[in-house]
């Protein structure tokens, strides 16, 4: 059947264009797949919400990453210091645990999938359910050209943590050129050349709402003055929503920021740190552009893999090997090389967030309309601890969330975070997770 | 600084025993003689609370339909969100949420997998329009959603909407979805609005459906069920026997628990659990699960004593049995055999726990994040349980001594508060509040039992309103004996049922309810019955402000101008 | 069933008057507790507490670390064996911090080579396959622990198979802790060592914190918490997580259900002297797996000394003879070879050392000792020990034949069925490394 916001393809006009000899169907931006359920009303078309994940491997060093709360907000620690320039866009989520209930701690796996699927895997390598960001992609990605654009900066297509179901995992792009070709090879249609037909459903909605408004007189008849004012306020609110719907029936304008990029050259794609940074930077830019042009509203980025294989050129020891092999320096009390790799991962995160913040959109930036969820596979990689796995969000999700918060949970199930992400994105879900990790409690501290 | 008593009835006995300086008699208290009357209140418009919305959707469609979204926060007026609901409207942001929720609900209801489950009829192909089927759906669901008779013009209006949607969408299921979405976004669903008829003498009367809505939201906190709607349509609610039959049917149902839970959530301000935070280092055992279970615990406790055992209301102060889960067991420091779910515990007579005040929903809710608070707890007893009002502390108060729990000179809360009370500005108020709160000092900031604080034995004896007690058990016995305790419950229940502040015309009614409550051994169900069968419960009169003869927009503007 | 069960809660301690469990009246209630069973009667005032429940919050070898333990240096890992044949200059070069990655890489290469030579079988399953240099072991005479056999052996008594006892730092002689001799020079078993210092302790304790394992203890029939000449003691595994706070300290007063596997139920008796519980010797079997290992504690002649603090917590030690095979599997077995590269030992060397220093339970036929003395430290927080209903009890032993490469007779327990170990089985990377060991850098441990 065709009713429901899960299938609004009908209202999306596809522009057929020719570029470099091949046909390209490209969707226009700003047509909301669902009603924008967020603050900031008025007669301005709201950019859509985008959601994505950003993953890094091997966690952080205890005591060197979690921001401390001070009088003037929070203070970053040595390993989170690379985030200084973007910290106004971030929330830190600490103290949430994967609770295993006697199930094994499969190293570098139990944490990630407790967090993403809400189920601590019993068997190594056997994921017992889909991961939550696919549910969000189902919600937000309807009608965009790509339901989700995923890439890994490591060159290894096996580095993905996004599972549509227990068996099906999403394969990421591994090079900037491949990502470019997928999105832009056939070119980008300039605005103003398409024919626009407003979505009949939106038009119907508007007529239903005006019919609702017409009941006003009859309702007012028996009310006292005070109640009439309340009813009046109510209909003002209805009018605001009507105006938003009306905006959706107007021809959209492709924003300035949606520009055809240059085709990137070939780059080495592997676990070499310098290559990872370079590839990640190129692909982050392409992804940001793809979102500016509303080609996708969902993404999954892997900066470094679970059990991070990042290594510096000429060195055989990877980040992961350092976590186990490197001694704890008695003078400073932590693993020095391991900590350097954490800092490299955080530099990658800062670069990613900046890439989204560099794209103007509406009165702000693309980042303002994103909810990016970053996390790792463990907290303290040395022993694969799954208590207090480090997590962050970036972006204000179109005004749905606050930023600058440091949430410290007291061993609450880590699924509270996945539940919250889904709810912010409008997935109709009240409870999530299994066994000790089943929860219906979202992390309200970050909600706007 | 003064303590103002804004309860209209409950404090008479209190004032008489010498605490009168703290009370300014309520507006109506000073009036002499029993003949206080006035016109009945105008028709009402109450914004549905979150739980009413959720229950209504579950009962109109199915509990399987997911309701996800953020609700407008409740406004508390006169200590009750139920009263605030009669003053609240819906903001722009809030309406976006309700509108999106309506869409999601409609989407689920008309989905392919659910259509046959919820819809009385179908069309052979989605592209066909069947007016008879549309009419059937609209009248069945319209009556439930709007709590009104659809036989009038309303049905035609919605049929028109349905046809219009069909025209644009070309799909019957989709068009029906839009109709439901529209209904669920209508003021008549989001507000519980009284519909009235005019009697022969020109006086107003609630329609049968409006009566049904009042009864149903009061007793079950949800939309009227089919049987109640049938009775309403048949005019049975206008007869004494018909009304009694329906009220008794509803009171004998399990759903009355839902209704009572909603009342006690409001009465005890349990919504504060949503934002309850405790210091993680001081109280490591307190977490989200404890908070969730603490809220449910007190409701189970109240259900058990007041409904299952059908004991007098005051039993909740002297009770020794309650319920725990494993997370709560860590606070109570008792074993819980059930891995999941609830287990009953009974405290011995010499254990200070068991009564309402020992519950986390009281002790932890009325405390600070890192310590207990005799003051907050004292205020809660005065305001929540005795319907007495305490004015806020003056601005220029030095709280240093009270807050420093590590001061070796003042080891216990009593010592710290005694020091604080030497300040004249604070003394009068704290004498009113603290003795009550100090009796609860055996419960720390999360409600964990303790007999010592910083190595000093905690003195939990005290006196208030002329009663003396040795400990929290004594305090709870005092509350059980205190005349304001039961009159406060009756008064709050009456306000909750009507959703408005008591008016002059309510005085006699409340007096009668109190007498009957006392005669029925202070049992809850008879009180609910008495209220639901009262003429006053359904009485309305025309709104006192005449409708200005100008267009609505101007009228609203003028009203605002007058107010400002 | 009685109407109610009197539970007395003494302050700080989790204690039950008639036992929180272990009797027919205290079975856990099913999830559908809408009709709760008879109330548990609770009193805070009655100090007539009979049962003390505890959950382990820390459990790890009581390894003494002094500068004199390992005069020759720490034990060789595969990474060391890989460079042993090189000229001394080259060895020195590789051991410099900036070349350490090559040094490790050579260890992994050797690990891969060994596995390849045996068709991917873990070398730990065939420890006799290689003659590695003998494990460097503790050379000092000092160790923590207790005298298990009442003898101060100087290496000549048959019952101890020739292992010489230690002296405790406080002067007590006859200390039996030969497992310390074996593990005391392995870097990952020490805290002060370069490279993997602290790794094993962190893994073990981390497994408790992550909820992978839980150990419970119950002291029953306590008439007097300071002095009591007879108490009953149970030690049990549980599948429910011990709660920890955000500072990773155990939180008290959780109710935790004992495992349904009676193999991991251990019962003994004991006494309390001046607030210290001392158990009679008993054989202890407990589930213990970190990162999915199907391991177990199997310690014979176990004795527990536990200081019962007023606030309900407890600390003390556990000593006994660790069954040799279980000691090997539990502490050293390494399915994929990575542990032996990174953590300072090789299976062949450890296997030999364990047999060399085994000092208990001589085989009546061969005279060889089959167990090795050990000493562990433990901390516990108060807990309520809940017993599962009798009809749910089962007895099973994990079928680790393939995992350890052993025969049924090596693991069978009378009356216990075989069950596949939950969650065991190596990561895909391991399978990959078996086929192509050179590229097996991404080891999972």
């Amino acid at each position: 059947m065709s009713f429901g916001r899960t299938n609004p393809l009908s209202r999306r006009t596809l522009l057929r264009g020719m570029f470099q000899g091949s046909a390209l169907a490209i969707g226009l931006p700003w047509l909301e797949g669902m009603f924008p359920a967020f603050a900031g009303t008025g007669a301005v078309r709201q950019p859509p919400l985008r959601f994505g994940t950003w993953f890094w491997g091997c966690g952080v060093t205890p005591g060197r990453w979690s921001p401390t709360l001070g009088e003037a907000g929070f203070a970053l620690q040595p390993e989170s210091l690379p985030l200084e320039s973007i910290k106004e866009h971030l929330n830190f989520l600490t103290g949430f645990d994967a609770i295993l209930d006697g199930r094994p701690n499969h190293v570098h796996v139990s944490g990630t999938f407790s967090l993403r699927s809400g189920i601590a895997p019993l068997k190594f390598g056997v994921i017992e359910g889909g991961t939550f960001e696919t549910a969000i992609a189902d919600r937000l990605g309807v009608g965009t050209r790509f339901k989700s654009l995923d890439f890994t900066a490591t060159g290894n297509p096996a580095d993905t943590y996004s599972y549509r179901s227990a068996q099906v995992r999403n394969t990421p792009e591994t090079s900037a050129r491949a990502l470019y070709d997928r999105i832009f090879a056939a070119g980008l249609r300039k605005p103003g050349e398409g024919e626009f037909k407003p979505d009949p459903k939106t038009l119907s909605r508007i007529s239903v709402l005006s019919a609702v408004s017409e009941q006003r007189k009859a309702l007012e008849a028996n009310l006292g003055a005070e109640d009439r004012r309340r009813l009046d306020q109510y209909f003002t609110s209805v009018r605001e929503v009507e105006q938003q719907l009306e905006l959706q029936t107007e021809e959209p304008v492709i924003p300035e920021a949606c520009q055809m990029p240059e085709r990137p050259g070939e780059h080495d794609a592997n676990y070499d740190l310098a290559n990872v940074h370079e590839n990640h930077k190129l692909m982050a830019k392409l992804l940001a552009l793809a979102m500016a042009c509303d080609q996708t509203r969902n993404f999954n980025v892997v900066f470094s893999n679970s059990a991070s294989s990042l290594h510096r050129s000429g060195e055989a020891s990877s980040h992961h090997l350092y976590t186990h092999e490197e001694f704890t320096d008695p003078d400073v009390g932590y693993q020095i090389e391991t900590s350097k790799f954490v800092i490299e991962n955080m530099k990658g995160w800062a670069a990613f967030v900046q890439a989204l913040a560099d794209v103007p959109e509406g009165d702000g930036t693309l980042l303002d309309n994103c909810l990016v969820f970053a996390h790792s596979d463990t907290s303290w990689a040395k022993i694969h601890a799954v208590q207090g796995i480090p997590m962050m969000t970036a972006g204000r999700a179109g005004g749905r969330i606050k930023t600058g918060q440091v949430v410290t949970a007291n061993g609450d199930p880590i699924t509270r975070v996945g539940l919250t992400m889904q709810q912010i994105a409008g997935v109709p879900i009240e409870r999530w997770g299994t066994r000790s990790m089943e929860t219906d409690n979202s992390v309200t501290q970050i909600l706007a | 600084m003064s303590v103002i008593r804004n309860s209209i009835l409950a404090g008479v006995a209190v004032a008489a025993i010498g605490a009168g300086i703290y009370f300014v008699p309520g507006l109506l208290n000073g009036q002499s003689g029993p003949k206080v009357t006035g016109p009945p209140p105008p028709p009402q418009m109450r914004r549905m609370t979150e739980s009413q919305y959720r229950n209504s959707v579950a009962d109109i469609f199915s509990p399987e339909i997911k309701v996800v979204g953020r609700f407008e926060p409740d406004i508390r007026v006169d200590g009750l969100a139920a009263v605030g609901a009669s003053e609240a409207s819906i903001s722009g942001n809030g309406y976006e949420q309700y509108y999106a929720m309506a869409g999601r609900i409609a989407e689920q209801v008309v989905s392919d997998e659910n259509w046959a489950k919820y819809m009385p009829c179908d069309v052979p192909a989605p592209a066909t329009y069947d007016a008879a089927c549309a009419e059937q759906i609209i009248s069945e669901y319209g009556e439930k959603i709007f709590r009104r008779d659809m036989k009038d013009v309303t049905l035609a209006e919605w049929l028109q909407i349905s046809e219009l949607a069909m025209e644009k969408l070309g799909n019957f299921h989709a068009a029906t979805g839009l109709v439901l979405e529209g209904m669920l976004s209508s003021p008549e669903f989001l507000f519980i609005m009284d519909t009235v008829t005019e009697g022969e003498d020109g006086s107003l009367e609630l329609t049968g459906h409006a009566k049904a809505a009042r009864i149903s939201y009061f007793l079950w906190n949800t939309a009227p069920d089919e049987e109640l709607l049938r009775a309403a349509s048949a005019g049975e609610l206008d007869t004494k026997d018909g009304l009694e039959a329906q009220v008794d049917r509803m009171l004998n149902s399990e759903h009355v628990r839902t209704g009572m839970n909603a009342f006690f959530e409001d009465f005890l301000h349990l919504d504060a659990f949503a934002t309850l935070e405790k210091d993680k280092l001081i109280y490591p055992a307190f977490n989200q699960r404890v908070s969730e279970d603490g809220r449910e615990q007190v409701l189970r406790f109240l259900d058990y004593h007041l409904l299952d055992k059908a004991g007098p209301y005051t039993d909740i102060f002297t009770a020794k049995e309650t319920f725990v889960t494993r997370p709560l067991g860590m606070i109570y420091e008792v074993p819980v055999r059930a891995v999941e779910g609830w287990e009953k515990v009974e405290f011995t007579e010499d254990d200070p726990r068991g009564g309402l005040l020992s519950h986390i929903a009281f002790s932890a809710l009325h405390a600070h994040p890192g310590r207990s608070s005799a003051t907050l707890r004292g205020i809660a007893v005065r305001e929540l349980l005795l319907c007495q009002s305490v004015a806020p502390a003056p601005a220029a108060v030095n709280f240093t001594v009270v807050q420093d729990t590590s001061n070796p000179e003042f080891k216990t809360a009593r010592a710290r508060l005694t020091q604080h009370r030497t300040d004249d500005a604070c003394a009068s108020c704290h004498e009113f509040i603290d003795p009550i709160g100090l009796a609860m000092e055996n419960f720390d900031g999360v409600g964990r039992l303790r007999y010592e604080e910083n190595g000093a034995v905690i003195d939990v004896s005290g006196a208030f309103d002329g009663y003396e007690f040795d400990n929290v058990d004594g305090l709870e016995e005092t509350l059980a004996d205190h005349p304001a305790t039961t009159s406060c419950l009756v008064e709050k229940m009456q306000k909750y049922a009507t959703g408005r502040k008591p008016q002059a015309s309510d005085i006699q009614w409340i007096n009668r309810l109190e007498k009957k409550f006392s005669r029925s051994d202070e049992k809850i169900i008879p009180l609910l019955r008495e209220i639901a069968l009262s003429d006053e419960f359904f009485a309305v009169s025309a709104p006192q402000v005449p409708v200005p003869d100008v267009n609505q927009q101007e009228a609203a503007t003028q009203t605002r101008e007058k107010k400002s | 069933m009685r109407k109610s069960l009197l539970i007395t809660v003494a302050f700080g301690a989790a204690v039950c008057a008639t036992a929180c469990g272990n009797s027919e009246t205290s079975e856990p209630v099913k999830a559908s507790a809408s009709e709760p069973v008879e109330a548990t009667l609770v009193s805070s005032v009655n100090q007539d507490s009979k049962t003390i429940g505890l959950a382990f919050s820390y459990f790890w070898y009581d390894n003494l670390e002094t500068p004199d333990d390992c005069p020759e240096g720490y034990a060789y890992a595969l990474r060391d064996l890989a460079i042993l044949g090189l000229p001394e200059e080259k060895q020195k070069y590789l051991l410099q911090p900036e070349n350490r990655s090559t040094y490790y890489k050579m260890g992994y290469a050797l690990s891969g080579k060994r596995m390849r030579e045996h068709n991917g079988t873990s070398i730990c399953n065939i420890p006799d396959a290689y003659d590695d240099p003998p494990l460097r072991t503790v050379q000092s005479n000092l160790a923590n622990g207790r005298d298990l056999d009442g003898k101060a052996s100087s290496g000549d008594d048959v019952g101890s198979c020739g292992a010489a006892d230690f002296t405790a730092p406080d002067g007590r002689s006859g200390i039996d802790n030969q497992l310390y001799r074996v593990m005391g020079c392995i870097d990952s078993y020490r805290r002060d060592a370069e490279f993997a210092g602290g790794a094993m302790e962190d893994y073990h304790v981390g497994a408790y914190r992550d909820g992978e394992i839980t150990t419970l203890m119950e002291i029953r029939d306590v008439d007097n918490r300071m002095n009591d000449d007879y108490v009953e003691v149970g030690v049990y595994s549980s599948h429910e997580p011990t709660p920890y706070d955000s500072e990773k300290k155990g939180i008290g007063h959780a109710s935790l259900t004992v495992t349904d596997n009676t193999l991991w139920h251990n019962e003994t008796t004991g006494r309390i002297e001046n607030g210290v519980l001392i158990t009679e010797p008993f054989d202890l079997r407990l589930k213990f797996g970190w990162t999915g290992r199907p391991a177990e504690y199997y310690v014979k002649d176990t004795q527990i000394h536990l200081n019962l603090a007023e606030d309900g917590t407890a600390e003390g030690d556990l000593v006994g003879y660790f069954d040799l095979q279980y000691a090997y599997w539990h502490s050293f077995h390494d399915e994929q070879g990575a542990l032996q590269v990174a953590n300072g030992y090789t299976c062949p060397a450890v296997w030999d050392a364990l047999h060399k220093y085994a000092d208990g339970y001589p085989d009546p036929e061969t005279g060889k000792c089959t167990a090795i003395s050990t000493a562990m430290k433990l901390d516990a927080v108060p807990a309520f020990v809940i017993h599962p209903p009798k009809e749910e009890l089962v007895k099973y032993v994990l079928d680790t034949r393939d995992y350890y490469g052993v025969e049924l007779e090596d693991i069978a327990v009378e009356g216990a069925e075989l069950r596949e170990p939950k969650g065991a089985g190596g990561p895909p990377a391991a399978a990959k490394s078996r086929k192509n060991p050179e590229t097996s850098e991404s080891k999972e441990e």
Side-chain angles (χ1 to χ4, degrees), chain B residues 82-272:
Chain B
V83 178
S86 296
E87 302 192 3
S89 187
I90 292 177
S91 69
N93 292 349
Y95 190 70
E96 275 188 18
Q97 293 283 342
Y98 288 113
Y99 189 65
M101 272 188 271
R104 288 183 202 128
I105 292 164
E107 186 182 311
Q108 295 172 68
V109 171
V110 301
S111 71
D112 282 350
E113 55 190 282
N114 285 340
W115 180 276
K117 251 191 274 178
Y118 301 133
M119 293 300 166
C121 51
D122 201 353
V123 285
T128 18
Y129 186 77
D130 181 343
C133 182
E135 184 173 332
Q136 198 181 349
I137 292 168
I138 289 169
S139 53
E140 279 184 21
Y141 278 111
E143 187 181 10
K144 287 180 189 168
I145 291 171
F146 296 147
R147 314 155 205 110
R148 66 179 292 164
D149 200 334
M150 294 292 287
K151 276 182 225 120
D152 56 14
V153 64
T154 323
L155 177 61
E157 276 170 11
W158 285 97
L159 258 177
Q160 211 181 337
I161 290 172
S162 156
E163 283 161 20
L164 209 77
M166 183 69 196
E167 217 172 276
K168 289 217 170 78
L169 299 176
N171 180 307
F172 186 68
H173 291 186
T176 306
L178 272 195
V179 168
L180 291 178
E181 178 184 306
M183 286 180 163
L184 294 170
S185 326
S186 290
E188 281 184 287
F189 174 65
L190 297 172
F191 294 92
I192 302 163
M193 298 178 92
D194 289 337
T195 46
V196 290
T197 54
E198 206 167 313
E200 281 167 18
D201 57 351
S203 65
L204 290 187
E205 221 179 87
L206 289 183
T207 63
H209 280 80
K211 286 181 182 173
R214 278 206 180 176
I215 300 167
S216 189
Y217 282 102
F218 172 43
L219 298 180
W220 288 2
N221 201 42
T222 188
D225 67 351
E226 274 177 30
E227 167 60 15
L228 190 60
L229 289 175
R230 186 205 55 77
S233 298
E236 290 172 18
L237 300 183
D238 302 328
T239 69
K240 188 168 177 287
D241 287 352
L243 182 66
E244 271 187 14
Q246 288 299 326
V247 167
D248 286 337
R249 174 182 74 85
M250 294 180 76
L251 288 174
N252 284 319
S253 155
E254 278 292 297
H255 294 306
V256 83
R257 287 169 193 272
T258 315
M260 276 309 82
N261 285 349
F263 167 71
F264 281 110
E265 288 228 357
D266 203 352
F267 181 71
L268 294 172
H269 298 194
L270 299 187
D271 54 338

Side-chain angles (χ1 to χ4, degrees), chain A residues 15 28 45 191-196 247-253:
Chain A
L15 293 183
L28 283 164
R45 190 196 295 277
E193 296 177 21
E195 69 178 82
F196 175 77
L247 269 175
Q248 290 182 31
T249 65
E250 290 165 16
E251 181 150 10
V253 179

Side-chain angles (χ1 to χ4, degrees), chain A residues 395-415:
Chain A
R396 291 180 55 248
R400 293 166 180 85
I401 67 166
K402 290 184 277 203
T403 56
Q405 309 293 309
V406 177
V407 179
T408 310
N410 199 20
D412 286 353
I414 200 159
T415 41

Side-chain angles (χ1 to χ4, degrees), chain A residues 18 121 123 162 184 246 336 361 418:
Chain A
M18 299 294 286
K123 288 276 185 191
S162 179
F184 300 106
E246 280 161 8
I336 292 172
E361 184 169 278

Side-chain angles (χ1 to χ4, degrees), chain A residues 321-339:
Chain A
L321 295 180
Y322 274 120
T323 65
H324 297 309
E325 293 163 358
E326 186 185 6
F327 61 95
T328 299
D329 188 293
D331 295 335
V332 297
Y334 62 89
Q335 296 168 298
I336 292 172
E337 295 304 318
T338 304
S339 187

